[in-house]
Amino acid sequence: MCKPVFKPVFKPVLKIVLLLCAATAFAQTKYPGVGKPVAADRVKAADKTVMADGRGLPAGKGNVETGRALYKTNCAECHNEAGEGRDKQWPALVGGTGTLATKAAKKTVGSYWPYATTVWDTIARSMPYNNPGTLKPDEVYAITAFVLHLNGIVPATQELDEKSLPLVKMPNRDGFIPTVHPDVNAKR
Amino acid sequence: MADRRSFLGLAAVLTACTKSSKAPSVVEQSMAPYGERAAAEASILRTATERTASVGVGSSTTPLQELHGVITPSALHFERHHAGIPKIDPAKHTLLVHGLVAQPMEFSLDDLKRLPAVTRTHFIECSGNGGGELRGVAGATVEKSHGLLSCSEWTGVPLKVLLEQAGVKPEAKWVIAEGADACRMARSIPMAKCMEDALVVYGQNGEALRPGQGYPLRLLLPGFEGNSSVKWLDRLHVTQEPAQSNQETAHYTDLLPNGKARQFSFVMDTNSVITRPSGGQKITGGAGFVEISGIAWTGNGKIKRVEVSIDGGKTWVDAALEEPVLSRSLVRFRAPWVWDGKDAVIQSRATDETGYLQPTRDEIVEARGTNSQYHYHGVKQWAVKADGSVTNV
């Protein structure tokens, strides 16, 4: 691809690139010996990040019916039988559709949350409240499917896995805009 | 024995002095290994609110109206937890840096303390601070209206140093910070902030972080909403996109009247409040000189100006700002006032170095409606009555 005419230009460029590489190497050893390089398996064990496009989701699957039973055991005590929440303490998981532009806005999984992966991630990392991190991936897929079904987002026959979950389009997927500062104009 | 005799002799002299000068007759405590405040000050406390029947979801507020200067005593720093305070062995705690880096790295507390340290004074404010004011349920005291705000001297390592130590890649745009609390709370932080002034801190006001502030290690994002300064920090995942975690979607997003929500708002807007005289206090001794004093702060950088009104916002005078005026720190302002003993409505409003003026509640409602429960920063006023009592209005 490089025609000979570019050759004289190329050599100085290469020199600069090499210098930059050396500078980068220097930056990496600015504080030599501080911190321990870690191997991939250590990272893999610690890395619980789930991205909105599904990267980081573990292999597994679960359906609405399995989720219904698991929800009853693990979630209903606080979020109530049908996800309606309890005593204004624990948040409702359902309802609120069509309320976001009203004074009685109700933010739930169904009305507000933009990504289905966030439902999976929230359950996996922080639920049930008194015993977080104990549900197996299959159980988290199942409870996620049930909670989405409670909101009418997936049918009663739905099974979800690491491939299909990120494809679920949440009703409020396009409900968020990046903040621009400042947005309030005070008058003197 | 000679020593004992001279000690007794000294005691006799001290007793004699005590009797003649009416100084305290008994030394109750001397040179405690860890100091206590005066017993008469022990009623100055945070107020804790649990939000659910499960322990660990809630907040405690700083009694700002009782404090001097700009530093919040560590024991009075506000707390906001989503799953309690974890018990962490500092000897086993590490910070993992991975993702878009040349070499994933792990840092122990000892590793971090080998690196060049910086100490900086910054406020932390929960983005829900003042949410009650927006809803029209104005707080009766500064603690009730603004108590999810504190300011400390923090010591640690610039996050930039750790990212460079791991060889952060040019395509990296976000860092997902995760804590070791029970819910493993996570927030995605823009790379620009990570490289600008973000700190990974282990020190607070000269000693180790308090457990409620993330012991042994927390992220400290100067001027950003408190929730993003992840406590009990043990993992930094360098990525190209945000994770869209629970705390940056379901919560800490600002719902507008049209049903859309602002996301990644981060920066705490320019704000101020008079702490003395303020709601719940009383001016004793009648008309005469009373110093008006309060605090101002902004996530935009430095506070440039604070004005005070004693007539409900009709006229304003400049308050003096106490030096040093530090970036993304509380600033103490003071204005002399000769009170005529009549009813008055006192207010403060701040302007930051970008020229942004603190708005009124009405101006915020006009721009954001009343569902946007975060980032409230409206002008706060107090009514001083002829009897010296100060109330919220």
Side-chain angles (χ1 to χ4, degrees):
Chain A
M1 296 296 279
C2 292
K3 290 174 186 171
V5 68
F6 287 125
K7 260 191 174 172
V9 185
F10 225 68
K11 270 187 182 171
V13 169
L14 194 64
K15 266 186 187 170
I16 290 167
V17 167
L18 286 172
L19 277 171
L20 282 172
C21 287
T24 309
F26 178 75
Q28 282 168 18
T29 55
K30 193 168 175 186
Y31 306 109
V34 181
K36 189 177 75 178
V38 292
D41 58 339
R42 160 79 177 97
V43 172
K44 201 181 170 197
D47 183 2
K48 302 291 182 196
T49 306
V50 172
M51 303 297 284
D53 63 6
R55 274 175 296 157
L57 280 171
K61 61 176 193 285
N63 61 37
V64 172
E65 269 321 294
T66 317
R68 190 186 301 276
L70 287 165
Y71 177 93
K72 199 166 185 177
T73 319
N74 293 287
C75 322
E77 184 186 339
C78 296
H79 295 289
N80 222 333
E81 298 299 319
E84 63 270 43
R86 274 190 205 277
D87 304 321
K88 291 181 180 173
Q89 288 204 330
W90 292 284
L93 306 174
V94 300
T97 302
T99 66
L100 296 184
T102 72
K103 294 221 167 186
K106 188 176 176 184
K107 297 187 274 187
T108 74
V109 171
S111 70
Y112 196 63
W113 293 31
Y115 298 99
T117 47
T118 308
V119 184
W120 194 98
D121 179 58
T122 301
I123 298 168
R125 73 171 57 228
S126 62
M127 292 292 139
Y129 181 80
N130 290 323
N131 212 5
T134 55
L135 294 167
K136 295 178 182 70
D138 285 356
E139 296 175 314
V140 180
Y141 283 110
I143 296 170
T144 302
F146 179 67
V147 170
L148 293 176
H149 174 64
L150 279 178
N151 280 288
I153 296 167
V154 300
T157 53
Q158 184 77 46
E159 181 176 87
L160 290 174
D161 60 21
E162 73 276 14
K163 297 269 190 319
S164 56
L165 176 68
L167 302 177
V168 174
K169 189 172 182 199
M170 300 295 276
N172 197 40
R173 170 66 186 84
D174 301 321
F176 292 82
I177 53 172
T179 293
V180 178
H181 289 279
D183 63 314
V184 184
N185 296 308
K187 287 161 209 79
R188 211 167 255 287
Chain B
M1 288 304 281
D3 282 345
R4 181 172 163 77
R5 216 172 293 128
S6 60
F7 171 76
L8 289 172
L10 181 63
V13 171
L14 282 172
T15 308
C17 289
T18 298
K19 276 175 184 163
S20 59
S21 65
K22 292 190 178 173
S25 59
V26 179
V27 177
E28 286 184 12
Q29 197 184 350
S30 176
M31 294 173 284
Y34 198 89
E36 294 282 333
R37 58 187 169 170
E41 302 292 323
S43 64
I44 296 171
L45 298 165
R46 294 181 296 206
T47 308
T49 311
E50 294 276 0
R51 293 195 180 188
T52 70
S54 307
V55 173
V57 187
S59 55
S60 63
T61 43
T62 297
L64 292 163
Q65 71 278 7
E66 305 288 354
L67 304 183
H68 313 292
V70 297
I71 297 293
T72 307
S74 299
L76 292 176
H77 197 292
F78 88 89
E79 297 181 12
R80 171 78 176 98
H81 308 308
H82 297 79
I85 301 170
K87 196 172 180 180
I88 294 174
D89 179 352
K92 290 178 183 158
H93 191 80
T94 59
L95 175 60
L96 176 66
V97 182
H98 72 99
L100 294 174
V101 294
Q103 172 61 59
M105 299 280 285
E106 193 170 41
F107 299 92
S108 67
L109 265 290
D110 285 345
D111 290 335
L112 294 174
K113 287 173 186 173
R114 281 172 61 163
L115 292 167
V118 295
T119 294
R120 289 181 192 146
T121 302
H122 292 299
F123 71 83
I124 298 182
E125 182 182 24
C126 176
S127 75
N129 201 27
E133 307 287 305
L134 178 73
R135 292 189 292 275
V137 192
T141 65
V142 180
E143 178 177 2
K144 288 206 166 74
S145 61
H146 292 79
L148 293 168
L149 166 72
S150 301
C151 186
S152 296
E153 190 192 80
W154 305 98
T155 300
V157 180
L159 176 53
K160 183 175 189 273
V161 168
L162 302 182
L163 293 173
E164 287 176 351
Q165 190 78 350
V168 62
K169 294 182 177 174
E171 64 266 33
K173 295 284 181 289
W174 293 79
V175 174
I176 300 161
E178 193 173 272
D181 51 348
C183 66
R184 296 209 61 83
M185 215 208 71
R187 285 295 303 260
S188 310
I189 316 300
M191 185 57 73
K193 184 66 174 177
C194 297
M195 301 307 270
E196 184 199 352
D197 63 352
L199 301 173
V200 172
V201 300
Y202 43 76
Q204 177 187 8
N205 297 331
E207 58 184 355
L209 293 175
R210 293 288 166 120
Q213 293 308 317
Y215 181 81
L217 199 65
R218 81 174 299 169
L219 190 61
L220 197 284
L221 302 178
F224 270 26
E225 59 191 16
N227 179 261
S228 60
S229 284
V230 174
K231 294 177 283 191
W232 313 292
L233 183 72
D234 70 356
R235 191 166 73 92
L236 294 168
H237 187 176
V238 184
T239 61
Q240 275 192 300
E241 299 92 13
Q244 305 288 353
S245 73
N246 177 291
Q247 297 286 299
E248 60 206 23
T249 54
H251 306 283
Y252 301 101
T253 45
D254 314 328
L255 186 56
L256 300 173
N258 66 3
K260 300 282 183 192
R262 303 194 313 157
Q263 192 184 22
F264 301 119
S265 298
F266 291 127
V267 176
M268 296 310 293
D269 293 302
T270 303
N271 208 338
S272 70
V273 65
I274 294 169
T275 57
R276 185 168 291 272
S278 65
Q281 296 174 347
K282 184 159 189 174
I283 302 170
T284 55
F289 183 84
V290 182
E291 182 180 71
I292 292 175
S293 168
I295 47 176
W297 65 100
T298 174
N300 287 336
K302 288 181 181 173
I303 289 289
K304 192 179 175 191
R305 181 184 189 191
V306 176
E307 296 157 278
V308 167
S309 173
I310 54 166
D311 55 12
K314 289 191 199 79
T315 60
W316 297 87
V317 294
D318 279 311
L321 303 183
E322 235 176 27
E323 296 289 340
V325 177
L326 300 170
S327 184
R328 293 161 182 159
S329 163
L330 292 191
V331 176
R332 174 67 56 177
F333 66 84
R334 302 181 188 281
W337 181 32
V338 179
W339 179 44
D340 59 10
K342 294 175 186 161
D343 287 2
V345 174
I346 59 173
Q347 303 180 344
S348 66
R349 67 180 187 192
T351 306
D352 68 35
E353 63 180 334
T354 73
Y356 183 76
L357 171 68
Q358 180 185 356
T360 62
R361 177 182 177 276
D362 288 348
E363 286 165 335
I364 291 175
V365 171
E366 190 186 331
R368 301 180 183 170
T370 52
N371 283 336
S372 181
Q373 68 201 86
Y374 305 107
H375 294 271
Y376 179 80
H377 59 296
V379 169
K380 176 77 176 171
Q381 61 179 7
W382 306 106
V384 179
K385 297 291 175 198
D387 68 357
S389 64
V390 188
T391 56
N392 170 64
V393 281

